[in-house]
Structure formats: structure tokens, C-alpha cells
Amino acid sequence: MEYRGKEKGKNRSARNKELASIKNLLQMGNISTATSEIIKYVEKYPDDEFGLFQYGKILMRNNKIEEAKEIYQRTADLHGRNRQSALIALGEIASLERKFRLASKYYEEAMQTDRYNNGRAAFLLVRLKRETGYFYEALELLDRINSQSIEMQIERAKVLTALEKDEEADQVLSTLIPQTKLQEREIAVEKGKIYKARGEYDQATIYYEQAKDTDIKDKLYYQAVMEEARLAKQTCNYQDLVIYCEELYNAGRTFNGNVNIMLGIGKLGIGEYQSAKNIFE
């Protein structure tokens, strides 16, 4: 029995060394060699859920989505420490594929045994429900979870703003101290929406510009531009409307076709009738 215990310990030690070597390759950016080594590793240890999860991450990095889904599912089925992370990864893939019900299923399953992800599954589920228009379900989930984390409170404010409960949203935002630049910008967008609803358009614009204060034009940047476009449309500022919509259009940010419609309206507003006609045809 003592001999077997030593062998088991040696086996685990060998695995850890191999995994450490693979992690080192990844840190050095040697993806090709890391991929080859992780394939060998999971063939040698097919029941090693940590190795499988790392393999899934490498597959995602190589844009091999279908293979990654299979590996993440195998990881989840082992019911080990990485089960929650694997389910979350499956949920994120399903969300990217616009399979929102499936994504919800994975997040809900991950929430049931969320011992290691500190509410990540719950946050992603709330965000998914908000982004797909299930605002009351998102609010109910937020109330049930009752998390005071800043990211959850920002989500609460976003849901309340979407439900036009602007004063409640403002109360939530006024208590928050952003810990990152991204959180600061997220709060600025919601503040802009609140001031727009109050008719304080100059203040709304100030907040939208704060949200655009970034070196990288990310999703949040273009969301702020879209809010500025909506404000320009509402105030019949067609020149600015065209500028904002052209920036969004050139970046491929169509917001489900709304940008094209708004751009056409802006072109009509500044008298470019042929351009507007071409857009609407």
C-alpha cells in the first residue's frame, strides 16, 4: 500500500511538471508547441480535467470552436474542480453563436455549484438576460442573488435604465466607486442615459464623451457613440447624427440595422436626398 501511494504521488508530480512546461510555452507565446504538448498530455491522461480544460482554452485560442466545445463538455462531465469554468466557457460559446437559451442553460447549471468562480456564472446570466431584452427576469435574478459586487450593481443600474426607472438607477450608481477604468466608463454611459431622459442633454453628452475616453475603440466605446447618435436624432441635430452614424457604419457597428436607418434620416435632414435614397433602397 505504501508503494502504491508513492507511485500515485510520483504520477501527480509528473503531471504537474508537464502542465507547468505547457503553461510556460503559452506564456512565451509558443502556441504551436504548446498545442502539440497538450494533445500528448490529454492522450496520456484522458481523465485529467485540468489538462482537458487547458486544452479547451488552447483550442479556443486557435479558433477551433467545435473541438473546444467537445473538450469543455468532457471537462464538465468529469465533475471536478474545473466543471464550473467549463460550463461557463460553453455558455460563452453558445452566447457568441446566438444560442441564448442554451447559454442560459449552461450558466444556470454552473450557478448550481459555483464554488470557484465567485459569481461569474450569475453575472453572465444576468448580462445575457439584459442584452436579450428579458429585463424583469434579469432584475428578479439580481434580487435573488443579492450580490453587492460593483459589476452586479452596474448591471442592476443598466437593467433599471432599460426599464426607464432612471431615478432608481441613479441611486444605485451614486453609491458606486469604480475600481477600473472600464467600470468608470460603464457608469458614464448609464449616467448619460439618465441625464438624456431628464432632458439635460449637455450633461448627457459630457458623460458619453467620458465613456469614449479610451485608447482602444472597444464595444463600450461604440455603445457611447450610438447613444450620442440617438441623442442627436432626438434633438434633430442631423449634422452630428450623420457624423456619429458614419463612424459606426465604417466600424461595422450596425446595431441590428438601426445605424443605417438613422444615417438615412440624418442624410435627409442635411438635404442629401440621393444619399438617403440609396441607403433606404
Side-chain angles (χ1 to χ4, degrees):
M1 292 296 293
E2 182 183 355
Y3 175 77
R4 288 180 184 177
K6 286 182 178 178
E7 283 300 305
K8 187 175 180 180
K10 288 180 180 179
N11 186 38
R12 183 69 262 177
S13 177
R15 291 193 191 194
N16 289 340
K17 286 180 180 179
E18 290 181 56
L19 280 175
S21 176
I22 293 167
K23 286 181 182 178
N24 188 47
L25 288 169
L26 288 171
Q27 290 172 355
M28 292 168 59
N30 195 339
I31 306 301
S32 177
T33 306
T35 301
S36 299
E37 291 302 313
I38 197 69
I39 290 172
K40 294 177 187 176
Y41 182 88
V42 296
E43 286 176 350
K44 189 187 297 186
Y45 309 113
D47 62 340
D48 189 306
E49 47 103 20
F50 184 78
L52 284 170
F53 183 69
Q54 296 303 315
Y55 184 31
K57 289 168 69 174
I58 289 176
L59 288 170
M60 285 297 295
R61 197 180 284 196
N62 290 333
N63 204 32
K64 295 183 177 181
I65 309 298
E66 292 304 315
E67 293 178 50
K69 286 194 288 188
E70 180 184 345
I71 292 299
Y72 283 140
Q73 189 60 62
R74 280 177 58 187
T75 305
D77 290 344
L78 288 169
H79 291 267
R81 185 180 178 88
N82 285 275
R83 173 176 168 77
Q84 291 79 30
S85 295
L87 288 168
I88 287 171
L90 286 166
E92 290 177 317
I93 293 171
S95 184
L96 288 171
E97 294 177 334
R98 304 189 68 79
K99 297 176 181 177
F100 300 127
R101 288 189 179 182
L102 182 60
S104 292
K105 171 183 169 292
Y106 284 128
Y107 293 148
E108 286 169 358
E109 195 173 348
M111 282 175 62
Q112 292 174 9
T113 51
D114 194 357
R115 293 171 293 169
Y116 306 112
N117 286 291
N118 301 316
R120 179 67 180 166
F123 167 76
L124 291 170
L125 183 57
V126 169
R127 188 179 70 180
L128 178 63
K129 288 186 179 295
R130 174 181 59 79
E131 290 181 342
T132 52
Y134 292 94
F135 303 125
Y136 285 104
E137 287 187 20
L139 196 57
E140 181 183 348
L141 183 58
L142 282 163
D143 289 339
R144 177 156 57 90
I145 296 166
N146 195 29
S147 170
Q148 297 305 308
S149 72
I150 188 167
E151 64 176 6
M152 281 296 205
Q153 290 304 304
I154 290 173
E155 276 300 312
R156 180 180 290 278
K158 289 180 180 180
V159 172
L160 290 169
T161 303
L163 291 170
E164 298 183 353
K165 298 183 178 184
D166 299 312
E167 294 309 312
E168 290 182 51
D170 196 22
Q171 288 177 11
V172 172
L173 293 172
S174 65
T175 66
L176 302 181
I177 300 174
Q179 299 168 351
T180 66
K181 179 68 174 179
L182 179 61
Q183 290 173 351
E184 183 181 310
R185 292 170 58 221
E186 285 184 298
I187 290 171
V189 169
E190 299 312 307
K191 283 279 193 180
K193 292 178 185 177
I194 291 167
Y195 277 94
K196 176 189 168 187
R198 291 173 178 169
E200 299 182 37
Y201 302 135
D202 289 343
Q203 188 62 47
T205 300
I206 289 171
Y207 278 116
Y208 292 144
E209 287 297 313
Q210 286 180 10
K212 289 165 60 180
D213 182 17
T214 176
D215 295 331
I216 301 173
K217 293 184 178 182
D218 55 6
K219 180 180 178 180
L220 187 59
Y221 172 91
Y222 288 110
Q223 184 184 341
V225 175
M226 184 60 174
E227 293 302 329
E228 288 184 311
R230 288 174 175 145
L231 178 56
K233 177 175 174 287
Q234 183 173 321
T235 56
C236 301
N237 186 344
Y238 298 117
Q239 192 70 50
D240 282 354
L241 177 59
V242 169
I243 291 171
Y244 294 135
C245 287
E246 285 183 340
E247 180 178 2
L248 292 165
Y249 181 82
N250 292 333
R253 306 279 178 156
T254 63
F255 286 84
N256 297 320
N258 289 327
V259 169
N260 287 11
I261 295 170
M262 291 168 66
L263 181 57
I265 292 170
K267 292 288 187 179
L268 282 173
I270 61 176
E272 294 186 12
Y273 304 119
Q274 187 58 49
S275 294
K277 182 181 178 181
N278 292 340
I279 290 169
F280 288 128
E281 285 181 346

mmCIF file of all heavy atoms in Angstrom, residues 130-173:
data_model
loop_
_atom_site.group_PDB
_atom_site.id
_atom_site.type_symbol
_atom_site.label_atom_id
_atom_site.label_comp_id
_atom_site.label_asym_id
_atom_site.label_seq_id
_atom_site.Cartn_x
_atom_site.Cartn_y
_atom_site.Cartn_z
ATOM 1 N N ARG A 130 -30.311 40.656 -19.786
ATOM 2 C CA ARG A 130 -30.457 42.087 -20.105
ATOM 3 C C ARG A 130 -30.257 42.343 -21.589
ATOM 4 O O ARG A 130 -31.050 43.040 -22.230
ATOM 5 C CB ARG A 130 -29.465 42.916 -19.284
ATOM 6 C CG ARG A 130 -29.456 44.402 -19.679
ATOM 7 C CD ARG A 130 -28.452 45.189 -18.879
ATOM 8 N NE ARG A 130 -27.091 44.717 -19.015
ATOM 9 C CZ ARG A 130 -26.296 44.974 -20.056
ATOM 10 N NH1 ARG A 130 -26.740 45.681 -21.087
ATOM 11 N NH2 ARG A 130 -25.047 44.521 -20.081
ATOM 12 N N GLU A 131 -29.197 41.773 -22.142
ATOM 13 C CA GLU A 131 -28.869 42.028 -23.544
ATOM 14 C C GLU A 131 -29.887 41.425 -24.510
ATOM 15 O O GLU A 131 -29.990 41.869 -25.656
ATOM 16 C CB GLU A 131 -27.464 41.497 -23.854
ATOM 17 C CG GLU A 131 -26.357 42.306 -23.184
ATOM 18 C CD GLU A 131 -24.967 41.798 -23.511
ATOM 19 O OE1 GLU A 131 -24.842 40.637 -23.967
ATOM 20 O OE2 GLU A 131 -24.003 42.557 -23.294
ATOM 21 N N THR A 132 -30.626 40.416 -24.061
ATOM 22 C CA THR A 132 -31.650 39.803 -24.913
ATOM 23 C C THR A 132 -33.049 40.321 -24.582
ATOM 24 O O THR A 132 -34.039 39.796 -25.096
ATOM 25 C CB THR A 132 -31.618 38.267 -24.795
ATOM 26 O OG1 THR A 132 -31.673 37.882 -23.417
ATOM 27 C CG2 THR A 132 -30.345 37.710 -25.415
ATOM 28 N N GLY A 133 -33.119 41.347 -23.747
ATOM 29 C CA GLY A 133 -34.387 42.021 -23.512
ATOM 30 C C GLY A 133 -35.249 41.464 -22.409
ATOM 31 O O GLY A 133 -36.378 41.932 -22.203
ATOM 32 N N TYR A 134 -34.741 40.496 -21.642
ATOM 33 C CA TYR A 134 -35.512 39.934 -20.530
ATOM 34 C C TYR A 134 -35.189 40.708 -19.246
ATOM 35 O O TYR A 134 -34.583 40.180 -18.306
ATOM 36 C CB TYR A 134 -35.201 38.443 -20.383
ATOM 37 C CG TYR A 134 -35.709 37.607 -21.533
ATOM 38 C CD1 TYR A 134 -34.896 37.305 -22.620
ATOM 39 C CD2 TYR A 134 -37.019 37.127 -21.527
ATOM 40 C CE1 TYR A 134 -35.367 36.551 -23.690
ATOM 41 C CE2 TYR A 134 -37.505 36.361 -22.590
ATOM 42 C CZ TYR A 134 -36.672 36.083 -23.661
ATOM 43 O OH TYR A 134 -37.143 35.338 -24.715
ATOM 44 N N PHE A 135 -35.622 41.965 -19.225
ATOM 45 C CA PHE A 135 -35.209 42.870 -18.168
ATOM 46 C C PHE A 135 -35.767 42.473 -16.798
ATOM 47 O O PHE A 135 -35.056 42.532 -15.785
ATOM 48 C CB PHE A 135 -35.617 44.303 -18.508
ATOM 49 C CG PHE A 135 -35.069 44.785 -19.820
ATOM 50 C CD1 PHE A 135 -35.907 45.284 -20.805
ATOM 51 C CD2 PHE A 135 -33.710 44.728 -20.079
ATOM 52 C CE1 PHE A 135 -35.404 45.731 -22.013
ATOM 53 C CE2 PHE A 135 -33.185 45.168 -21.289
ATOM 54 C CZ PHE A 135 -34.046 45.664 -22.261
ATOM 55 N N TYR A 136 -37.037 42.095 -16.765
ATOM 56 C CA TYR A 136 -37.631 41.740 -15.475
ATOM 57 C C TYR A 136 -37.043 40.440 -14.931
ATOM 58 O O TYR A 136 -36.884 40.281 -13.716
ATOM 59 C CB TYR A 136 -39.154 41.653 -15.594
ATOM 60 C CG TYR A 136 -39.803 43.020 -15.668
ATOM 61 C CD1 TYR A 136 -40.277 43.520 -16.877
ATOM 62 C CD2 TYR A 136 -39.908 43.813 -14.522
ATOM 63 C CE1 TYR A 136 -40.852 44.779 -16.948
ATOM 64 C CE2 TYR A 136 -40.481 45.083 -14.583
ATOM 65 C CZ TYR A 136 -40.955 45.559 -15.804
ATOM 66 O OH TYR A 136 -41.506 46.819 -15.862
ATOM 67 N N GLU A 137 -36.725 39.503 -15.823
ATOM 68 C CA GLU A 137 -36.058 38.273 -15.382
ATOM 69 C C GLU A 137 -34.673 38.594 -14.831
ATOM 70 O O GLU A 137 -34.236 38.009 -13.831
ATOM 71 C CB GLU A 137 -35.951 37.275 -16.536
ATOM 72 C CG GLU A 137 -37.271 36.622 -16.915
ATOM 73 C CD GLU A 137 -37.096 35.516 -17.932
ATOM 74 O OE1 GLU A 137 -35.963 34.986 -18.064
ATOM 75 O OE2 GLU A 137 -38.080 35.181 -18.606
ATOM 76 N N ALA A 138 -33.980 39.523 -15.494
ATOM 77 C CA ALA A 138 -32.651 39.938 -15.009
ATOM 78 C C ALA A 138 -32.760 40.585 -13.632
ATOM 79 O O ALA A 138 -31.954 40.308 -12.737
ATOM 80 C CB ALA A 138 -32.025 40.914 -16.003
ATOM 81 N N LEU A 139 -33.777 41.439 -13.460
ATOM 82 C CA LEU A 139 -33.958 42.121 -12.179
ATOM 83 C C LEU A 139 -34.321 41.128 -11.076
ATOM 84 O O LEU A 139 -33.819 41.222 -9.950
ATOM 85 C CB LEU A 139 -35.051 43.177 -12.321
ATOM 86 C CG LEU A 139 -35.135 44.240 -11.221
ATOM 87 C CD1 LEU A 139 -33.813 44.989 -11.084
ATOM 88 C CD2 LEU A 139 -36.269 45.206 -11.513
ATOM 89 N N GLU A 140 -35.166 40.152 -11.414
ATOM 90 C CA GLU A 140 -35.538 39.123 -10.446
ATOM 91 C C GLU A 140 -34.321 38.309 -10.018
ATOM 92 O O GLU A 140 -34.144 37.994 -8.835
ATOM 93 C CB GLU A 140 -36.592 38.200 -11.061
ATOM 94 C CG GLU A 140 -37.072 37.099 -10.130
ATOM 95 C CD GLU A 140 -38.065 36.157 -10.789
ATOM 96 O OE1 GLU A 140 -38.557 36.478 -11.890
ATOM 97 O OE2 GLU A 140 -38.336 35.089 -10.198
ATOM 98 N N LEU A 141 -33.470 37.985 -10.994
ATOM 99 C CA LEU A 141 -32.260 37.230 -10.701
ATOM 100 C C LEU A 141 -31.315 38.043 -9.818
ATOM 101 O O LEU A 141 -30.719 37.521 -8.867
ATOM 102 C CB LEU A 141 -31.570 36.833 -12.002
ATOM 103 C CG LEU A 141 -30.309 35.972 -11.905
ATOM 104 C CD1 LEU A 141 -30.583 34.670 -11.163
ATOM 105 C CD2 LEU A 141 -29.760 35.672 -13.305
ATOM 106 N N LEU A 142 -31.184 39.326 -10.112
ATOM 107 C CA LEU A 142 -30.340 40.205 -9.294
ATOM 108 C C LEU A 142 -30.840 40.261 -7.857
ATOM 109 O O LEU A 142 -30.047 40.232 -6.908
ATOM 110 C CB LEU A 142 -30.323 41.610 -9.900
ATOM 111 C CG LEU A 142 -29.418 41.806 -11.120
ATOM 112 C CD1 LEU A 142 -29.797 43.067 -11.868
ATOM 113 C CD2 LEU A 142 -27.957 41.860 -10.703
ATOM 114 N N ASP A 143 -32.151 40.333 -7.701
ATOM 115 C CA ASP A 143 -32.725 40.363 -6.352
ATOM 116 C C ASP A 143 -32.477 39.051 -5.616
ATOM 117 O O ASP A 143 -32.206 39.041 -4.411
ATOM 118 C CB ASP A 143 -34.235 40.642 -6.433
ATOM 119 C CG ASP A 143 -34.539 42.077 -6.846
ATOM 120 O OD1 ASP A 143 -33.658 42.938 -6.684
ATOM 121 O OD2 ASP A 143 -35.654 42.330 -7.329
ATOM 122 N N ARG A 144 -32.566 37.942 -6.352
ATOM 123 C CA ARG A 144 -32.369 36.627 -5.738
ATOM 124 C C ARG A 144 -30.910 36.433 -5.316
ATOM 125 O O ARG A 144 -30.630 35.914 -4.236
ATOM 126 C CB ARG A 144 -32.802 35.535 -6.716
ATOM 127 C CG ARG A 144 -32.564 34.111 -6.216
ATOM 128 C CD ARG A 144 -33.504 33.139 -6.920
ATOM 129 N NE ARG A 144 -33.373 33.188 -8.357
ATOM 130 C CZ ARG A 144 -32.529 32.426 -9.050
ATOM 131 N NH1 ARG A 144 -31.719 31.587 -8.420
ATOM 132 N NH2 ARG A 144 -32.488 32.510 -10.366
ATOM 133 N N ILE A 145 -30.002 36.859 -6.166
ATOM 134 C CA ILE A 145 -28.573 36.706 -5.871
ATOM 135 C C ILE A 145 -28.147 37.662 -4.760
ATOM 136 O O ILE A 145 -27.358 37.319 -3.880
ATOM 137 C CB ILE A 145 -27.732 36.972 -7.135
ATOM 138 C CG1 ILE A 145 -28.045 35.929 -8.206
ATOM 139 C CG2 ILE A 145 -26.241 36.956 -6.815
ATOM 140 C CD1 ILE A 145 -27.532 36.300 -9.570
ATOM 141 N N ASN A 146 -28.681 38.903 -4.837
ATOM 142 C CA ASN A 146 -28.400 39.926 -3.832
ATOM 143 C C ASN A 146 -26.904 40.166 -3.644
ATOM 144 O O ASN A 146 -26.402 40.278 -2.521
ATOM 145 C CB ASN A 146 -29.047 39.565 -2.489
ATOM 146 C CG ASN A 146 -29.099 40.756 -1.543
ATOM 147 O OD1 ASN A 146 -29.165 41.899 -1.987
ATOM 148 N ND2 ASN A 146 -29.049 40.487 -0.248
ATOM 149 N N SER A 147 -26.184 40.218 -4.765
ATOM 150 C CA SER A 147 -24.749 40.477 -4.705
ATOM 151 C C SER A 147 -24.478 41.974 -4.654
ATOM 152 O O SER A 147 -25.118 42.749 -5.372
ATOM 153 C CB SER A 147 -24.057 39.877 -5.936
ATOM 154 O OG SER A 147 -22.708 40.311 -6.012
ATOM 155 N N GLN A 148 -23.542 42.378 -3.829
ATOM 156 C CA GLN A 148 -23.172 43.787 -3.722
ATOM 157 C C GLN A 148 -21.901 44.106 -4.512
ATOM 158 O O GLN A 148 -21.357 45.208 -4.368
ATOM 159 C CB GLN A 148 -22.964 44.153 -2.245
ATOM 160 C CG GLN A 148 -24.223 44.010 -1.395
ATOM 161 C CD GLN A 148 -25.392 44.799 -1.929
ATOM 162 O OE1 GLN A 148 -25.274 46.000 -2.185
ATOM 163 N NE2 GLN A 148 -26.537 44.133 -2.109
ATOM 164 N N SER A 149 -21.450 43.153 -5.321
ATOM 165 C CA SER A 149 -20.249 43.418 -6.119
ATOM 166 C C SER A 149 -20.522 44.566 -7.089
ATOM 167 O O SER A 149 -21.654 44.748 -7.559
ATOM 168 C CB SER A 149 -19.838 42.164 -6.905
ATOM 169 O OG SER A 149 -20.737 41.916 -7.972
ATOM 170 N N ILE A 150 -19.499 45.327 -7.404
ATOM 171 C CA ILE A 150 -19.696 46.516 -8.235
ATOM 172 C C ILE A 150 -20.174 46.150 -9.636
ATOM 173 O O ILE A 150 -21.021 46.837 -10.214
ATOM 174 C CB ILE A 150 -18.413 47.379 -8.287
ATOM 175 C CG1 ILE A 150 -18.714 48.713 -8.992
ATOM 176 C CG2 ILE A 150 -17.265 46.638 -8.964
ATOM 177 C CD1 ILE A 150 -17.627 49.742 -8.810
ATOM 178 N N GLU A 151 -19.685 45.023 -10.184
ATOM 179 C CA GLU A 151 -20.120 44.656 -11.529
ATOM 180 C C GLU A 151 -21.595 44.279 -11.545
ATOM 181 O O GLU A 151 -22.316 44.581 -12.502
ATOM 182 C CB GLU A 151 -19.258 43.533 -12.112
ATOM 183 C CG GLU A 151 -19.317 42.210 -11.409
ATOM 184 C CD GLU A 151 -18.512 41.127 -12.114
ATOM 185 O OE1 GLU A 151 -17.799 41.418 -13.095
ATOM 186 O OE2 GLU A 151 -18.620 39.980 -11.682
ATOM 187 N N MET A 152 -22.085 43.640 -10.460
ATOM 188 C CA MET A 152 -23.501 43.300 -10.372
ATOM 189 C C MET A 152 -24.350 44.553 -10.173
ATOM 190 O O MET A 152 -25.458 44.667 -10.720
ATOM 191 C CB MET A 152 -23.750 42.322 -9.227
ATOM 192 C CG MET A 152 -23.399 40.886 -9.558
ATOM 193 S SD MET A 152 -24.427 40.203 -10.884
ATOM 194 C CE MET A 152 -24.301 38.450 -10.492
ATOM 195 N N GLN A 153 -23.853 45.500 -9.419
ATOM 196 C CA GLN A 153 -24.596 46.735 -9.205
ATOM 197 C C GLN A 153 -24.662 47.575 -10.478
ATOM 198 O O GLN A 153 -25.674 48.233 -10.749
ATOM 199 C CB GLN A 153 -23.971 47.531 -8.056
ATOM 200 C CG GLN A 153 -24.157 46.893 -6.688
ATOM 201 C CD GLN A 153 -25.620 46.643 -6.352
ATOM 202 O OE1 GLN A 153 -26.428 47.568 -6.377
ATOM 203 N NE2 GLN A 153 -25.967 45.396 -6.059
ATOM 204 N N ILE A 154 -23.598 47.544 -11.271
ATOM 205 C CA ILE A 154 -23.638 48.225 -12.571
ATOM 206 C C ILE A 154 -24.674 47.552 -13.474
ATOM 207 O O ILE A 154 -25.439 48.230 -14.178
ATOM 208 C CB ILE A 154 -22.245 48.218 -13.240
ATOM 209 C CG1 ILE A 154 -21.294 49.141 -12.482
ATOM 210 C CG2 ILE A 154 -22.343 48.665 -14.705
ATOM 211 C CD1 ILE A 154 -19.853 49.087 -12.957
ATOM 212 N N GLU A 155 -24.728 46.217 -13.422
ATOM 213 C CA GLU A 155 -25.751 45.502 -14.188
ATOM 214 C C GLU A 155 -27.146 45.900 -13.728
ATOM 215 O O GLU A 155 -28.055 46.076 -14.549
ATOM 216 C CB GLU A 155 -25.565 43.986 -14.050
ATOM 217 C CG GLU A 155 -24.547 43.399 -14.999
ATOM 218 C CD GLU A 155 -24.908 43.615 -16.458
ATOM 219 O OE1 GLU A 155 -26.067 43.359 -16.848
ATOM 220 O OE2 GLU A 155 -24.028 44.051 -17.222
ATOM 221 N N ARG A 156 -27.330 46.022 -12.417
ATOM 222 C CA ARG A 156 -28.632 46.445 -11.890
ATOM 223 C C ARG A 156 -29.013 47.815 -12.451
ATOM 224 O O ARG A 156 -30.161 48.033 -12.876
ATOM 225 C CB ARG A 156 -28.603 46.490 -10.358
ATOM 226 C CG ARG A 156 -29.926 46.927 -9.732
ATOM 227 C CD ARG A 156 -29.848 46.950 -8.207
ATOM 228 N NE ARG A 156 -29.770 45.613 -7.664
ATOM 229 C CZ ARG A 156 -30.827 44.827 -7.461
ATOM 230 N NH1 ARG A 156 -32.034 45.261 -7.765
ATOM 231 N NH2 ARG A 156 -30.678 43.623 -6.951
ATOM 232 N N ALA A 157 -28.063 48.733 -12.457
ATOM 233 C CA ALA A 157 -28.323 50.074 -12.984
ATOM 234 C C ALA A 157 -28.687 50.013 -14.472
ATOM 235 O O ALA A 157 -29.601 50.716 -14.928
ATOM 236 C CB ALA A 157 -27.109 50.966 -12.768
ATOM 237 N N LYS A 158 -27.994 49.160 -15.224
ATOM 238 C CA LYS A 158 -28.288 49.020 -16.653
ATOM 239 C C LYS A 158 -29.698 48.494 -16.884
ATOM 240 O O LYS A 158 -30.416 48.958 -17.774
ATOM 241 C CB LYS A 158 -27.264 48.088 -17.308
ATOM 242 C CG LYS A 158 -25.873 48.671 -17.442
ATOM 243 C CD LYS A 158 -24.921 47.673 -18.092
ATOM 244 C CE LYS A 158 -23.522 48.251 -18.240
ATOM 245 N NZ LYS A 158 -22.576 47.283 -18.871
ATOM 246 N N VAL A 159 -30.101 47.513 -16.067
ATOM 247 C CA VAL A 159 -31.453 46.949 -16.180
ATOM 248 C C VAL A 159 -32.488 48.008 -15.831
ATOM 249 O O VAL A 159 -33.497 48.175 -16.543
ATOM 250 C CB VAL A 159 -31.607 45.712 -15.268
ATOM 251 C CG1 VAL A 159 -33.065 45.253 -15.236
ATOM 252 C CG2 VAL A 159 -30.714 44.580 -15.757
ATOM 253 N N LEU A 160 -32.259 48.735 -14.758
ATOM 254 C CA LEU A 160 -33.203 49.767 -14.338
ATOM 255 C C LEU A 160 -33.319 50.874 -15.390
ATOM 256 O O LEU A 160 -34.419 51.379 -15.662
ATOM 257 C CB LEU A 160 -32.764 50.356 -12.995
ATOM 258 C CG LEU A 160 -32.906 49.417 -11.792
ATOM 259 C CD1 LEU A 160 -32.195 49.999 -10.573
ATOM 260 C CD2 LEU A 160 -34.377 49.163 -11.470
ATOM 261 N N THR A 161 -32.195 51.242 -15.995
ATOM 262 C CA THR A 161 -32.221 52.248 -17.061
ATOM 263 C C THR A 161 -33.029 51.748 -18.250
ATOM 264 O O THR A 161 -33.827 52.492 -18.836
ATOM 265 C CB THR A 161 -30.792 52.596 -17.511
ATOM 266 O OG1 THR A 161 -30.034 53.050 -16.395
ATOM 267 C CG2 THR A 161 -30.805 53.691 -18.569
ATOM 268 N N ALA A 162 -32.832 50.467 -18.614
ATOM 269 C CA ALA A 162 -33.580 49.880 -19.729
ATOM 270 C C ALA A 162 -35.076 49.866 -19.448
ATOM 271 O O ALA A 162 -35.896 49.986 -20.367
ATOM 272 C CB ALA A 162 -33.086 48.462 -19.999
ATOM 273 N N LEU A 163 -35.450 49.731 -18.161
ATOM 274 C CA LEU A 163 -36.863 49.735 -17.758
ATOM 275 C C LEU A 163 -37.376 51.156 -17.504
ATOM 276 O O LEU A 163 -38.511 51.330 -17.041
ATOM 277 C CB LEU A 163 -37.031 48.889 -16.492
ATOM 278 C CG LEU A 163 -36.832 47.384 -16.662
ATOM 279 C CD1 LEU A 163 -36.787 46.679 -15.312
ATOM 280 C CD2 LEU A 163 -37.948 46.793 -17.530
ATOM 281 N N GLU A 164 -36.525 52.152 -17.821
ATOM 282 C CA GLU A 164 -36.856 53.572 -17.646
ATOM 283 C C GLU A 164 -37.102 53.924 -16.181
ATOM 284 O O GLU A 164 -37.857 54.854 -15.868
ATOM 285 C CB GLU A 164 -38.051 53.976 -18.519
ATOM 286 C CG GLU A 164 -37.766 53.801 -20.006
ATOM 287 C CD GLU A 164 -38.917 54.254 -20.883
ATOM 288 O OE1 GLU A 164 -39.998 54.578 -20.334
ATOM 289 O OE2 GLU A 164 -38.748 54.284 -22.110
ATOM 290 N N LYS A 165 -36.471 53.184 -15.298
ATOM 291 C CA LYS A 165 -36.514 53.502 -13.869
ATOM 292 C C LYS A 165 -35.247 54.292 -13.535
ATOM 293 O O LYS A 165 -34.362 53.835 -12.812
ATOM 294 C CB LYS A 165 -36.621 52.227 -13.048
ATOM 295 C CG LYS A 165 -37.906 51.427 -13.324
ATOM 296 C CD LYS A 165 -38.008 50.209 -12.423
ATOM 297 C CE LYS A 165 -39.302 49.452 -12.670
ATOM 298 N NZ LYS A 165 -39.488 48.301 -11.745
ATOM 299 N N ASP A 166 -35.199 55.499 -14.110
ATOM 300 C CA ASP A 166 -33.952 56.271 -14.099
ATOM 301 C C ASP A 166 -33.528 56.730 -12.710
ATOM 302 O O ASP A 166 -32.334 56.742 -12.393
ATOM 303 C CB ASP A 166 -34.092 57.477 -15.038
ATOM 304 C CG ASP A 166 -34.361 57.054 -16.469
ATOM 305 O OD1 ASP A 166 -33.636 56.173 -16.959
ATOM 306 O OD2 ASP A 166 -35.289 57.594 -17.084
ATOM 307 N N GLU A 167 -34.480 57.114 -11.884
ATOM 308 C CA GLU A 167 -34.121 57.590 -10.552
ATOM 309 C C GLU A 167 -33.552 56.461 -9.698
ATOM 310 O O GLU A 167 -32.586 56.655 -8.948
ATOM 311 C CB GLU A 167 -35.337 58.227 -9.870
ATOM 312 C CG GLU A 167 -35.813 59.509 -10.552
ATOM 313 C CD GLU A 167 -34.691 60.503 -10.787
ATOM 314 O OE1 GLU A 167 -33.912 60.759 -9.846
ATOM 315 O OE2 GLU A 167 -34.584 61.019 -11.919
ATOM 316 N N GLU A 168 -34.140 55.264 -9.827
ATOM 317 C CA GLU A 168 -33.608 54.109 -9.101
ATOM 318 C C GLU A 168 -32.205 53.769 -9.590
ATOM 319 O O GLU A 168 -31.316 53.441 -8.799
ATOM 320 C CB GLU A 168 -34.522 52.900 -9.278
ATOM 321 C CG GLU A 168 -35.862 53.006 -8.564
ATOM 322 C CD GLU A 168 -36.697 51.753 -8.736
ATOM 323 O OE1 GLU A 168 -36.176 50.645 -8.476
ATOM 324 O OE2 GLU A 168 -37.865 51.876 -9.154
ATOM 325 N N ALA A 169 -32.019 53.851 -10.913
ATOM 326 C CA ALA A 169 -30.697 53.575 -11.495
ATOM 327 C C ALA A 169 -29.679 54.579 -10.981
ATOM 328 O O ALA A 169 -28.541 54.219 -10.637
ATOM 329 C CB ALA A 169 -30.774 53.630 -13.021
ATOM 330 N N ASP A 170 -30.082 55.843 -10.912
ATOM 331 C CA ASP A 170 -29.177 56.888 -10.444
ATOM 332 C C ASP A 170 -28.788 56.665 -8.986
ATOM 333 O O ASP A 170 -27.639 56.887 -8.591
ATOM 334 C CB ASP A 170 -29.847 58.254 -10.612
ATOM 335 C CG ASP A 170 -28.833 59.396 -10.529
ATOM 336 O OD1 ASP A 170 -27.633 59.152 -10.762
ATOM 337 O OD2 ASP A 170 -29.250 60.525 -10.238
ATOM 338 N N GLN A 171 -29.735 56.207 -8.182
ATOM 339 C CA GLN A 171 -29.444 55.914 -6.768
ATOM 340 C C GLN A 171 -28.396 54.810 -6.643
ATOM 341 O O GLN A 171 -27.496 54.884 -5.798
ATOM 342 C CB GLN A 171 -30.729 55.512 -6.052
ATOM 343 C CG GLN A 171 -31.690 56.661 -5.816
ATOM 344 C CD GLN A 171 -32.993 56.207 -5.176
ATOM 345 O OE1 GLN A 171 -33.100 55.072 -4.719
ATOM 346 N NE2 GLN A 171 -33.989 57.081 -5.143
ATOM 347 N N VAL A 172 -28.533 53.788 -7.497
ATOM 348 C CA VAL A 172 -27.559 52.688 -7.474
ATOM 349 C C VAL A 172 -26.178 53.200 -7.874
ATOM 350 O O VAL A 172 -25.176 52.949 -7.192
ATOM 351 C CB VAL A 172 -27.996 51.546 -8.415
ATOM 352 C CG1 VAL A 172 -26.880 50.499 -8.540
ATOM 353 C CG2 VAL A 172 -29.274 50.890 -7.900
ATOM 354 N N LEU A 173 -26.129 53.955 -8.958
ATOM 355 C CA LEU A 173 -24.845 54.433 -9.485
ATOM 356 C C LEU A 173 -24.152 55.394 -8.520
ATOM 357 O O LEU A 173 -22.923 55.422 -8.441
ATOM 358 C CB LEU A 173 -25.055 55.116 -10.836
ATOM 359 C CG LEU A 173 -25.511 54.207 -11.987
ATOM 360 C CD1 LEU A 173 -25.860 55.039 -13.215
ATOM 361 C CD2 LEU A 173 -24.438 53.185 -12.330
#
